[in-house]
mmCIF file of all heavy atoms in Angstrom:
data_model
loop_
_atom_site.group_PDB
_atom_site.id
_atom_site.type_symbol
_atom_site.label_atom_id
_atom_site.label_comp_id
_atom_site.label_asym_id
_atom_site.label_seq_id
_atom_site.Cartn_x
_atom_site.Cartn_y
_atom_site.Cartn_z
ATOM 1 N N PHE Q 1 84.128 70.767 -10.228
ATOM 2 C CA PHE Q 1 84.295 71.784 -9.232
ATOM 3 C C PHE Q 1 83.675 73.016 -9.613
ATOM 4 O O PHE Q 1 83.757 73.567 -10.885
ATOM 5 C CB PHE Q 1 85.740 71.889 -8.977
ATOM 6 C CG PHE Q 1 86.078 73.173 -8.154
ATOM 7 C CD1 PHE Q 1 85.977 73.251 -6.722
ATOM 8 C CD2 PHE Q 1 86.585 74.467 -8.731
ATOM 9 C CE1 PHE Q 1 86.348 74.289 -6.020
ATOM 10 C CE2 PHE Q 1 86.889 75.479 -7.851
ATOM 11 C CZ PHE Q 1 86.716 75.352 -6.469
ATOM 12 N N VAL Q 2 83.064 73.792 -8.640
ATOM 13 C CA VAL Q 2 82.403 75.091 -8.943
ATOM 14 C C VAL Q 2 83.129 76.124 -8.165
ATOM 15 O O VAL Q 2 83.591 77.190 -8.769
ATOM 16 C CB VAL Q 2 80.984 75.129 -8.615
ATOM 17 C CG1 VAL Q 2 80.415 76.640 -8.843
ATOM 18 C CG2 VAL Q 2 80.241 74.114 -9.436
ATOM 19 N N SER Q 3 83.165 75.984 -6.880
ATOM 20 C CA SER Q 3 83.761 77.139 -5.993
ATOM 21 C C SER Q 3 84.165 76.428 -4.640
ATOM 22 O O SER Q 3 83.743 75.397 -4.287
ATOM 23 C CB SER Q 3 82.822 78.239 -5.695
ATOM 24 O OG SER Q 3 83.326 79.248 -5.071
ATOM 25 N N ALA Q 4 85.101 77.185 -4.000
ATOM 26 C CA ALA Q 4 85.529 76.728 -2.574
ATOM 27 C C ALA Q 4 85.743 77.938 -1.810
ATOM 28 O O ALA Q 4 86.249 79.056 -2.356
ATOM 29 C CB ALA Q 4 86.754 75.808 -2.688
ATOM 30 N N ILE Q 5 85.736 77.754 -0.382
ATOM 31 C CA ILE Q 5 86.170 78.936 0.542
ATOM 32 C C ILE Q 5 86.883 78.173 1.643
ATOM 33 O O ILE Q 5 86.456 77.097 2.110
ATOM 34 C CB ILE Q 5 84.869 79.637 0.994
ATOM 35 C CG1 ILE Q 5 85.363 80.821 1.764
ATOM 36 C CG2 ILE Q 5 83.986 78.691 1.661
ATOM 37 C CD1 ILE Q 5 84.267 81.835 2.063
ATOM 38 N N GLY Q 6 88.069 78.780 1.893
ATOM 39 C CA GLY Q 6 88.842 78.126 3.007
ATOM 40 C C GLY Q 6 88.551 78.561 4.222
ATOM 41 O O GLY Q 6 87.614 79.351 4.594
ATOM 42 N N ARG Q 7 89.332 78.021 5.199
ATOM 43 C CA ARG Q 7 89.221 78.341 6.627
ATOM 44 C C ARG Q 7 89.477 79.756 6.948
ATOM 45 O O ARG Q 7 88.873 80.375 7.991
ATOM 46 C CB ARG Q 7 90.055 77.477 7.470
ATOM 47 C CG ARG Q 7 89.959 75.939 7.272
ATOM 48 C CD ARG Q 7 91.103 75.199 7.943
ATOM 49 N NE ARG Q 7 90.979 73.825 7.679
ATOM 50 C CZ ARG Q 7 91.518 73.163 6.676
ATOM 51 N NH1 ARG Q 7 92.359 73.755 5.840
ATOM 52 N NH2 ARG Q 7 91.433 71.835 6.404
ATOM 53 N N THR Q 8 90.266 80.337 6.056
ATOM 54 C CA THR Q 8 90.524 81.877 6.351
ATOM 55 C C THR Q 8 89.820 82.770 5.351
ATOM 56 O O THR Q 8 90.426 83.904 5.100
ATOM 57 C CB THR Q 8 92.062 82.113 6.408
ATOM 58 O OG1 THR Q 8 92.680 81.732 5.277
ATOM 59 C CG2 THR Q 8 92.671 81.436 7.567
ATOM 60 N N ASN Q 9 88.902 82.251 4.672
ATOM 61 C CA ASN Q 9 88.031 83.033 3.709
ATOM 62 C C ASN Q 9 88.763 83.187 2.412
ATOM 63 O O ASN Q 9 88.310 84.139 1.606
ATOM 64 C CB ASN Q 9 87.484 84.203 4.311
ATOM 65 C CG ASN Q 9 86.412 84.078 5.239
ATOM 66 O OD1 ASN Q 9 85.622 83.163 5.169
ATOM 67 N ND2 ASN Q 9 86.273 84.919 6.189
ATOM 68 N N ASN Q 10 89.834 82.351 2.065
ATOM 69 C CA ASN Q 10 90.209 82.418 0.778
ATOM 70 C C ASN Q 10 89.211 81.814 -0.267
ATOM 71 O O ASN Q 10 88.529 80.890 0.137
ATOM 72 C CB ASN Q 10 91.433 81.595 0.507
ATOM 73 C CG ASN Q 10 92.671 82.145 1.403
ATOM 74 O OD1 ASN Q 10 92.900 83.432 1.469
ATOM 75 N ND2 ASN Q 10 93.478 81.304 1.993
ATOM 76 N N ARG Q 11 88.955 82.464 -1.367
ATOM 77 C CA ARG Q 11 87.884 82.050 -2.286
ATOM 78 C C ARG Q 11 88.505 81.649 -3.566
ATOM 79 O O ARG Q 11 89.404 82.220 -4.145
ATOM 80 C CB ARG Q 11 87.019 83.299 -2.499
ATOM 81 C CG ARG Q 11 86.129 83.552 -1.228
ATOM 82 C CD ARG Q 11 85.386 84.891 -1.391
ATOM 83 N NE ARG Q 11 84.434 85.115 -0.242
ATOM 84 C CZ ARG Q 11 84.795 85.640 0.969
ATOM 85 N NH1 ARG Q 11 85.958 86.023 1.055
ATOM 86 N NH2 ARG Q 11 83.757 85.798 1.923
ATOM 87 N N TYR Q 12 87.986 80.575 -4.162
ATOM 88 C CA TYR Q 12 88.359 80.004 -5.440
ATOM 89 C C TYR Q 12 87.200 79.680 -6.337
ATOM 90 O O TYR Q 12 86.049 79.343 -5.724
ATOM 91 C CB TYR Q 12 89.213 78.738 -5.198
ATOM 92 C CG TYR Q 12 90.286 78.956 -4.156
ATOM 93 C CD1 TYR Q 12 90.028 78.730 -2.803
ATOM 94 C CD2 TYR Q 12 91.546 79.431 -4.442
ATOM 95 C CE1 TYR Q 12 90.955 78.889 -1.841
ATOM 96 C CE2 TYR Q 12 92.515 79.635 -3.568
ATOM 97 C CZ TYR Q 12 92.301 79.343 -2.222
ATOM 98 O OH TYR Q 12 93.233 79.570 -1.319
ATOM 99 N N TYR Q 13 87.381 79.745 -7.585
ATOM 100 C CA TYR Q 13 86.237 79.597 -8.392
ATOM 101 C C TYR Q 13 86.717 78.946 -9.831
ATOM 102 O O TYR Q 13 87.807 79.107 -10.279
ATOM 103 C CB TYR Q 13 85.535 80.927 -8.974
ATOM 104 C CG TYR Q 13 85.068 81.806 -7.777
ATOM 105 C CD1 TYR Q 13 85.868 82.741 -7.139
ATOM 106 C CD2 TYR Q 13 83.786 81.514 -7.396
ATOM 107 C CE1 TYR Q 13 85.378 83.504 -6.179
ATOM 108 C CE2 TYR Q 13 83.317 82.400 -6.389
ATOM 109 C CZ TYR Q 13 84.045 83.317 -5.720
ATOM 110 O OH TYR Q 13 83.525 84.018 -4.667
ATOM 111 N N SER Q 14 85.853 78.070 -10.493
ATOM 112 C CA SER Q 14 86.140 77.583 -11.613
ATOM 113 C C SER Q 14 86.065 78.621 -12.742
ATOM 114 O O SER Q 14 85.441 79.626 -12.441
ATOM 115 C CB SER Q 14 85.245 76.441 -12.109
ATOM 116 O OG SER Q 14 83.910 76.951 -12.140
ATOM 117 N N ASP Q 15 86.752 78.461 -13.788
ATOM 118 C CA ASP Q 15 86.693 79.379 -14.948
ATOM 119 C C ASP Q 15 85.335 79.596 -15.304
ATOM 120 O O ASP Q 15 84.947 80.711 -15.977
ATOM 121 C CB ASP Q 15 87.610 78.967 -15.977
ATOM 122 C CG ASP Q 15 89.146 79.053 -15.782
ATOM 123 O OD1 ASP Q 15 89.471 79.812 -14.607
ATOM 124 O OD2 ASP Q 15 89.999 78.507 -16.316
ATOM 125 N N SER Q 16 84.508 78.674 -15.335
ATOM 126 C CA SER Q 16 83.151 78.574 -16.064
ATOM 127 C C SER Q 16 82.140 79.665 -15.207
ATOM 128 O O SER Q 16 81.269 80.074 -15.768
ATOM 129 C CB SER Q 16 82.505 77.281 -16.005
ATOM 130 O OG SER Q 16 82.492 76.769 -14.810
ATOM 131 N N VAL Q 17 82.606 79.820 -13.935
ATOM 132 C CA VAL Q 17 81.531 80.671 -13.069
ATOM 133 C C VAL Q 17 82.276 81.953 -12.608
ATOM 134 O O VAL Q 17 81.529 82.798 -12.074
ATOM 135 C CB VAL Q 17 81.004 79.873 -11.903
ATOM 136 C CG1 VAL Q 17 80.268 78.616 -12.395
ATOM 137 C CG2 VAL Q 17 82.066 79.501 -10.857
ATOM 138 N N LYS Q 18 83.512 82.086 -12.741
ATOM 139 C CA LYS Q 18 84.170 83.204 -12.244
ATOM 140 C C LYS Q 18 83.647 84.540 -12.855
ATOM 141 O O LYS Q 18 83.427 84.674 -14.036
ATOM 142 C CB LYS Q 18 85.692 83.255 -12.687
ATOM 143 C CG LYS Q 18 86.545 84.295 -12.017
ATOM 144 C CD LYS Q 18 87.952 84.038 -12.183
ATOM 145 C CE LYS Q 18 88.514 82.768 -11.572
ATOM 146 N NZ LYS Q 18 89.988 82.485 -11.862
ATOM 147 N N GLY Q 19 83.280 85.436 -11.852
ATOM 148 C CA GLY Q 19 82.713 86.753 -12.360
ATOM 149 C C GLY Q 19 81.127 86.629 -12.202
ATOM 150 O O GLY Q 19 80.674 87.706 -12.373
ATOM 151 N N ARG Q 20 80.582 85.500 -12.157
ATOM 152 C CA ARG Q 20 79.117 85.395 -12.057
ATOM 153 C C ARG Q 20 78.732 84.882 -10.687
ATOM 154 O O ARG Q 20 77.557 85.010 -10.339
ATOM 155 C CB ARG Q 20 78.624 84.590 -13.122
ATOM 156 C CG ARG Q 20 78.971 85.054 -14.505
ATOM 157 C CD ARG Q 20 78.247 84.170 -15.536
ATOM 158 N NE ARG Q 20 78.676 82.912 -15.717
ATOM 159 C CZ ARG Q 20 77.867 81.807 -15.439
ATOM 160 N NH1 ARG Q 20 76.547 82.021 -15.127
ATOM 161 N NH2 ARG Q 20 78.402 80.540 -15.495
ATOM 162 N N CYS Q 21 79.627 84.147 -9.964
ATOM 163 C CA CYS Q 21 79.268 83.613 -8.604
ATOM 164 C C CYS Q 21 80.098 84.171 -7.573
ATOM 165 O O CYS Q 21 81.309 84.541 -7.754
ATOM 166 C CB CYS Q 21 79.426 82.069 -8.762
ATOM 167 S SG CYS Q 21 78.305 81.261 -9.892
ATOM 168 N N THR Q 22 79.567 84.053 -6.245
ATOM 169 C CA THR Q 22 80.248 84.602 -5.240
ATOM 170 C C THR Q 22 79.951 83.513 -3.943
ATOM 171 O O THR Q 22 78.864 83.283 -3.744
ATOM 172 C CB THR Q 22 79.758 85.958 -4.777
ATOM 173 O OG1 THR Q 22 80.078 86.917 -5.687
ATOM 174 C CG2 THR Q 22 80.631 86.344 -3.445
ATOM 175 N N ILE Q 23 81.002 82.963 -3.489
ATOM 176 C CA ILE Q 23 80.912 82.079 -2.379
ATOM 177 C C ILE Q 23 81.345 82.775 -1.054
ATOM 178 O O ILE Q 23 82.053 83.668 -1.141
ATOM 179 C CB ILE Q 23 81.938 80.956 -2.457
ATOM 180 C CG1 ILE Q 23 81.570 79.789 -1.440
ATOM 181 C CG2 ILE Q 23 83.325 81.169 -2.530
ATOM 182 C CD1 ILE Q 23 82.277 78.446 -1.748
ATOM 183 N N SER Q 24 80.499 82.573 -0.029
ATOM 184 C CA SER Q 24 80.822 83.178 1.279
ATOM 185 C C SER Q 24 80.527 82.195 2.447
ATOM 186 O O SER Q 24 79.827 81.189 2.199
ATOM 187 C CB SER Q 24 80.047 84.460 1.407
ATOM 188 O OG SER Q 24 78.604 84.184 1.248
ATOM 189 N N ARG Q 25 80.907 82.549 3.510
ATOM 190 C CA ARG Q 25 80.619 81.754 4.773
ATOM 191 C C ARG Q 25 80.211 82.503 5.938
ATOM 192 O O ARG Q 25 80.801 83.593 6.170
ATOM 193 C CB ARG Q 25 81.633 80.721 5.001
ATOM 194 C CG ARG Q 25 82.964 81.280 5.559
ATOM 195 C CD ARG Q 25 84.082 80.310 5.689
ATOM 196 N NE ARG Q 25 83.820 79.179 6.499
ATOM 197 C CZ ARG Q 25 84.513 78.089 6.500
ATOM 198 N NH1 ARG Q 25 85.393 77.717 5.605
ATOM 199 N NH2 ARG Q 25 84.207 77.125 7.344
ATOM 200 N N ASP Q 26 79.305 82.140 6.762
ATOM 201 C CA ASP Q 26 78.932 82.817 7.964
ATOM 202 C C ASP Q 26 79.196 81.658 9.083
ATOM 203 O O ASP Q 26 78.285 80.857 9.266
ATOM 204 C CB ASP Q 26 77.606 83.110 7.861
ATOM 205 C CG ASP Q 26 77.190 84.021 9.104
ATOM 206 O OD1 ASP Q 26 77.811 83.863 10.137
ATOM 207 O OD2 ASP Q 26 76.096 84.772 9.079
ATOM 208 N N ASN Q 27 80.311 81.799 9.776
ATOM 209 C CA ASN Q 27 80.633 80.799 10.842
ATOM 210 C C ASN Q 27 79.603 80.946 12.032
ATOM 211 O O ASN Q 27 79.383 79.808 12.673
ATOM 212 C CB ASN Q 27 82.053 81.028 11.224
ATOM 213 C CG ASN Q 27 83.070 80.629 10.208
ATOM 214 O OD1 ASN Q 27 82.765 80.005 9.265
ATOM 215 N ND2 ASN Q 27 84.290 80.926 10.408
ATOM 216 N N ALA Q 28 79.111 82.026 12.211
ATOM 217 C CA ALA Q 28 78.122 81.975 13.298
ATOM 218 C C ALA Q 28 76.764 81.276 12.944
ATOM 219 O O ALA Q 28 76.209 80.789 13.929
ATOM 220 C CB ALA Q 28 77.725 83.590 13.642
ATOM 221 N N LYS Q 29 76.434 81.172 11.741
ATOM 222 C CA LYS Q 29 75.358 80.334 11.316
ATOM 223 C C LYS Q 29 75.712 78.941 10.776
ATOM 224 O O LYS Q 29 74.861 78.195 10.439
ATOM 225 C CB LYS Q 29 74.552 81.189 10.327
ATOM 226 C CG LYS Q 29 73.937 82.461 10.634
ATOM 227 C CD LYS Q 29 73.209 83.203 9.568
ATOM 228 C CE LYS Q 29 72.580 84.399 10.046
ATOM 229 N NZ LYS Q 29 71.819 85.065 8.971
ATOM 230 N N ASN Q 30 76.977 78.790 10.823
ATOM 231 C CA ASN Q 30 77.444 77.351 10.294
ATOM 232 C C ASN Q 30 76.896 77.130 8.920
ATOM 233 O O ASN Q 30 76.377 76.031 8.494
ATOM 234 C CB ASN Q 30 76.945 76.253 11.152
ATOM 235 C CG ASN Q 30 77.898 76.110 12.328
ATOM 236 O OD1 ASN Q 30 78.701 77.026 12.760
ATOM 237 N ND2 ASN Q 30 77.622 74.953 13.131
ATOM 238 N N THR Q 31 77.022 78.228 8.006
ATOM 239 C CA THR Q 31 76.422 78.134 6.698
ATOM 240 C C THR Q 31 77.377 78.746 5.647
ATOM 241 O O THR Q 31 78.117 79.668 5.946
ATOM 242 C CB THR Q 31 75.131 78.860 6.796
ATOM 243 O OG1 THR Q 31 74.076 78.406 7.572
ATOM 244 C CG2 THR Q 31 74.438 78.916 5.235
ATOM 245 N N VAL Q 32 77.403 77.936 4.528
ATOM 246 C CA VAL Q 32 78.123 78.445 3.288
ATOM 247 C C VAL Q 32 77.127 78.787 2.200
ATOM 248 O O VAL Q 32 76.120 78.039 2.058
ATOM 249 C CB VAL Q 32 79.257 77.430 2.900
ATOM 250 C CG1 VAL Q 32 78.589 76.241 2.478
ATOM 251 C CG2 VAL Q 32 80.056 78.116 1.793
ATOM 252 N N TYR Q 33 77.428 79.861 1.536
ATOM 253 C CA TYR Q 33 76.481 80.233 0.438
ATOM 254 C C TYR Q 33 77.186 80.326 -0.872
ATOM 255 O O TYR Q 33 78.454 80.554 -1.065
ATOM 256 C CB TYR Q 33 75.864 81.728 0.732
ATOM 257 C CG TYR Q 33 75.129 81.870 1.957
ATOM 258 C CD1 TYR Q 33 75.889 82.291 3.137
ATOM 259 C CD2 TYR Q 33 73.931 81.513 2.283
ATOM 260 C CE1 TYR Q 33 75.412 82.495 4.426
ATOM 261 C CE2 TYR Q 33 73.333 81.685 3.495
ATOM 262 C CZ TYR Q 33 73.976 82.196 4.488
ATOM 263 O OH TYR Q 33 73.365 82.378 5.764
ATOM 264 N N LEU Q 34 76.331 80.079 -1.964
ATOM 265 C CA LEU Q 34 76.825 80.372 -3.290
ATOM 266 C C LEU Q 34 75.827 81.205 -3.924
ATOM 267 O O LEU Q 34 74.779 80.809 -4.275
ATOM 268 C CB LEU Q 34 77.104 79.052 -4.079
ATOM 269 C CG LEU Q 34 77.760 79.263 -5.491
ATOM 270 C CD1 LEU Q 34 79.027 79.757 -5.302
ATOM 271 C CD2 LEU Q 34 77.678 77.873 -6.296
ATOM 272 N N GLN Q 35 76.152 82.475 -4.163
ATOM 273 C CA GLN Q 35 75.186 83.414 -5.005
ATOM 274 C C GLN Q 35 75.770 83.300 -6.339
ATOM 275 O O GLN Q 35 76.753 83.456 -6.799
ATOM 276 C CB GLN Q 35 75.514 84.863 -4.490
ATOM 277 C CG GLN Q 35 74.657 85.906 -5.208
ATOM 278 C CD GLN Q 35 73.036 85.751 -4.945
ATOM 279 O OE1 GLN Q 35 72.768 85.630 -3.827
ATOM 280 N NE2 GLN Q 35 72.362 85.754 -5.996
ATOM 281 N N MET Q 36 74.670 82.937 -7.278
ATOM 282 C CA MET Q 36 74.843 82.796 -8.713
ATOM 283 C C MET Q 36 74.025 83.756 -9.452
ATOM 284 O O MET Q 36 72.826 83.754 -9.209
ATOM 285 C CB MET Q 36 74.408 81.310 -9.063
ATOM 286 C CG MET Q 36 75.316 80.284 -8.252
ATOM 287 S SD MET Q 36 75.057 78.633 -9.119
ATOM 288 C CE MET Q 36 73.268 78.359 -8.638
ATOM 289 N N ASN Q 37 74.633 84.572 -10.217
ATOM 290 C CA ASN Q 37 74.055 85.648 -11.046
ATOM 291 C C ASN Q 37 74.158 85.280 -12.500
ATOM 292 O O ASN Q 37 75.097 84.520 -12.918
ATOM 293 C CB ASN Q 37 74.458 86.926 -10.769
ATOM 294 C CG ASN Q 37 74.386 87.275 -9.380
ATOM 295 O OD1 ASN Q 37 73.319 87.063 -8.637
ATOM 296 N ND2 ASN Q 37 75.282 87.934 -8.685
ATOM 297 N N ASN Q 38 73.431 85.743 -13.370
ATOM 298 C CA ASN Q 38 73.578 85.684 -14.800
ATOM 299 C C ASN Q 38 73.591 84.258 -15.193
ATOM 300 O O ASN Q 38 74.410 83.773 -16.028
ATOM 301 C CB ASN Q 38 74.753 86.475 -15.415
ATOM 302 C CG ASN Q 38 74.548 87.849 -15.138
ATOM 303 O OD1 ASN Q 38 73.582 88.542 -15.283
ATOM 304 N ND2 ASN Q 38 75.654 88.692 -14.626
ATOM 305 N N LEU Q 39 72.689 83.425 -14.656
ATOM 306 C CA LEU Q 39 72.680 82.045 -14.860
ATOM 307 C C LEU Q 39 72.503 81.696 -16.445
ATOM 308 O O LEU Q 39 71.696 82.434 -16.984
ATOM 309 C CB LEU Q 39 71.782 81.318 -14.114
ATOM 310 C CG LEU Q 39 72.128 81.205 -12.621
ATOM 311 C CD1 LEU Q 39 70.996 80.926 -11.708
ATOM 312 C CD2 LEU Q 39 73.198 80.106 -12.439
ATOM 313 N N LYS Q 40 73.171 80.660 -16.967
ATOM 314 C CA LYS Q 40 73.142 80.310 -18.218
ATOM 315 C C LYS Q 40 72.639 78.831 -18.345
ATOM 316 O O LYS Q 40 72.719 78.182 -17.256
ATOM 317 C CB LYS Q 40 74.611 80.319 -18.874
ATOM 318 C CG LYS Q 40 75.229 81.672 -18.829
ATOM 319 C CD LYS Q 40 76.655 81.490 -19.322
ATOM 320 C CE LYS Q 40 77.294 82.928 -19.288
ATOM 321 N NZ LYS Q 40 78.732 82.733 -19.706
ATOM 322 N N PRO Q 41 72.087 78.306 -19.549
ATOM 323 C CA PRO Q 41 71.614 77.064 -19.600
ATOM 324 C C PRO Q 41 72.703 76.035 -19.078
ATOM 325 O O PRO Q 41 72.237 74.921 -18.574
ATOM 326 C CB PRO Q 41 71.184 76.967 -21.046
ATOM 327 C CG PRO Q 41 70.814 78.302 -21.448
ATOM 328 C CD PRO Q 41 71.760 79.240 -20.727
ATOM 329 N N GLU Q 42 73.980 76.229 -19.488
ATOM 330 C CA GLU Q 42 74.869 75.331 -19.204
ATOM 331 C C GLU Q 42 75.290 75.273 -17.666
ATOM 332 O O GLU Q 42 76.068 74.295 -17.223
ATOM 333 C CB GLU Q 42 76.194 75.665 -19.899
ATOM 334 C CG GLU Q 42 76.689 77.069 -19.827
ATOM 335 C CD GLU Q 42 76.260 77.898 -20.976
ATOM 336 O OE1 GLU Q 42 75.216 77.960 -21.385
ATOM 337 O OE2 GLU Q 42 77.131 78.850 -21.336
ATOM 338 N N ASP Q 43 74.664 76.156 -16.960
ATOM 339 C CA ASP Q 43 74.845 76.088 -15.362
ATOM 340 C C ASP Q 43 73.820 75.021 -14.756
ATOM 341 O O ASP Q 43 73.849 74.783 -13.639
ATOM 342 C CB ASP Q 43 74.549 77.419 -14.796
ATOM 343 C CG ASP Q 43 75.588 78.432 -15.081
ATOM 344 O OD1 ASP Q 43 76.754 78.041 -15.145
ATOM 345 O OD2 ASP Q 43 75.267 79.526 -15.403
ATOM 346 N N ALA Q 44 72.849 74.399 -15.644
ATOM 347 C CA ALA Q 44 71.912 73.511 -15.101
ATOM 348 C C ALA Q 44 72.542 72.306 -14.587
ATOM 349 O O ALA Q 44 73.325 71.725 -15.379
ATOM 350 C CB ALA Q 44 70.790 73.312 -16.148
ATOM 351 N N ALA Q 45 72.270 71.926 -13.457
ATOM 352 C CA ALA Q 45 72.953 70.697 -12.853
ATOM 353 C C ALA Q 45 72.398 70.455 -11.438
ATOM 354 O O ALA Q 45 71.640 71.401 -10.921
ATOM 355 C CB ALA Q 45 74.414 71.011 -12.723
ATOM 356 N N VAL Q 46 72.723 69.408 -10.907
ATOM 357 C CA VAL Q 46 72.516 69.193 -9.460
ATOM 358 C C VAL Q 46 73.770 69.708 -8.731
ATOM 359 O O VAL Q 46 74.892 69.330 -8.984
ATOM 360 C CB VAL Q 46 72.412 67.741 -9.157
ATOM 361 C CG1 VAL Q 46 72.244 67.465 -7.576
ATOM 362 C CG2 VAL Q 46 71.054 67.246 -9.822
#
């Protein structure tokens, strides 16, 4: 698990990414985003 966003925009993060990532959703565009900053080698993954 990395991050989740609820139906009412509650946001949750794993300890490994908290403070470096931001999840958001745009219901008008039917899109969810994950902004990732200060990426580390251990963040490499699918």
Side-chain angles (χ1 to χ4, degrees):
F1 172 79
V2 177
S3 184
I5 186 165
R7 302 173 185 90
T8 58
N9 284 330
N10 296 321
R11 294 170 170 85
Y12 310 93
Y13 301 93
S14 69
D15 290 341
S16 62
V17 304
K18 188 174 296 183
R20 299 188 295 119
C21 295
T22 302
I23 191 170
S24 61
R25 67 190 297 161
D26 186 339
N27 287 349
K29 296 182 178 180
N30 282 11
T31 300
V32 62
Y33 305 95
L34 184 68
Q35 177 68 45
M36 302 190 294
N37 301 320
N38 298 317
L39 286 163
K40 304 175 181 179
E42 53 263 40
D43 294 319
V46 178

